[in-house]
Amino acid sequence: QFGVFTATRWDAPKWTFVRMLELFGEDPGLFATERGLHMIADLRQYTPLAGPALNRSSAIHHAFSKDGLDWTINTKSFAVGGAVELRGGGLLEVKRRERPHILMSLPTPIPNSISTTSDTDADSVSRAMSRPLALFSAAATGNTHEQGGDHTFTLVAPFATL
């Protein structure tokens, strides 16, 4: 289960616990866009509120939030699924996708439409935002260890605009 903490700065020595989220999973990657916060994570069988739509081990899921406290899971489609289009052509079906990692761009200034500070300190703090460029994830073909190994490898894909 994920929890939310706050601090005055990301490298502050003291963080304050806010609350636990109704999201269960592992390996979250978070980023902000002009439309809010986004999480790419393994959310499958862990999140009972989302129902059976998440119960596919071949998928990595997308959740989004306006405030970081209330999250909505996209249950209609997956961030990535088990069908992988190969660059040279062809399609590879994998049994499992997990451990998503997001490669981000260099930071650029946050548009004025997003406020991450109070009005009193907005001018004194420089804010920047990166955008996702690529998604790295582990993939497994489904072979068991008894059959000579797990055949797990890393996939890299360009990140689609959210």
Side-chain angles (χ1 to χ4, degrees), residues 32-49:
T33 68
E34 294 83 6
R35 294 171 19 192
L37 301 170
H38 301 270
M39 179 189 303
I40 304 294
D42 290 338
L43 297 176
R44 43 185 175 263
Q45 67 269 16
Y46 305 107
T47 305
L49 294 178

Side-chain angles (χ1 to χ4, degrees), residues 75-147:
T75 58
K76 297 191 184 330
S77 64
F78 302 104
V80 293
V84 181
E85 291 183 37
L86 302 176
R87 184 176 185 181
L91 189 68
L92 173 67
E93 285 285 337
V94 296
K95 301 288 185 199
R96 194 173 72 243
R97 297 282 293 267
E98 57 185 49
R99 296 182 190 91
H101 296 285
I102 304 167
L103 174 66
M104 302 297 289
S105 69
L106 292 174
T108 56
I110 291 178
N112 292 335
S113 61
I114 294 180
S115 176
T116 57
T117 62
S118 68
D119 290 339
T120 58
D121 65 356
D123 295 329
S124 65
V125 178
S126 174
R127 301 289 179 186
M129 181 185 326
S130 298
R131 63 183 183 85
L133 298 175
L135 178 67
F136 290 72
S137 65
T141 58
N143 295 329
T144 65
H145 293 287
E146 294 80 28
Q147 295 172 324

Side-chain angles (χ1 to χ4, degrees), residues 22-25 41-56 61-63 71-78:
E22 288 300 316
L23 286 175
F24 298 80
D42 290 338
L43 297 176
R44 43 185 175 263
Q45 67 269 16
Y46 305 107
T47 305
L49 294 178
L54 290 182
N55 207 4
R56 277 195 36 208
H61 298 86
H62 171 236
W71 288 84
T72 300
I73 301 169
N74 183 348
T75 58
K76 297 191 184 330
S77 64
F78 302 104

Side-chain angles (χ1 to χ4, degrees), residues 1-4 19-26 46-47:
Q1 187 171 10
F2 301 117
V4 176
R19 72 177 168 107
M20 297 303 288
L21 300 177
E22 288 300 316
L23 286 175
F24 298 80
E26 59 188 23
Y46 305 107
T47 305

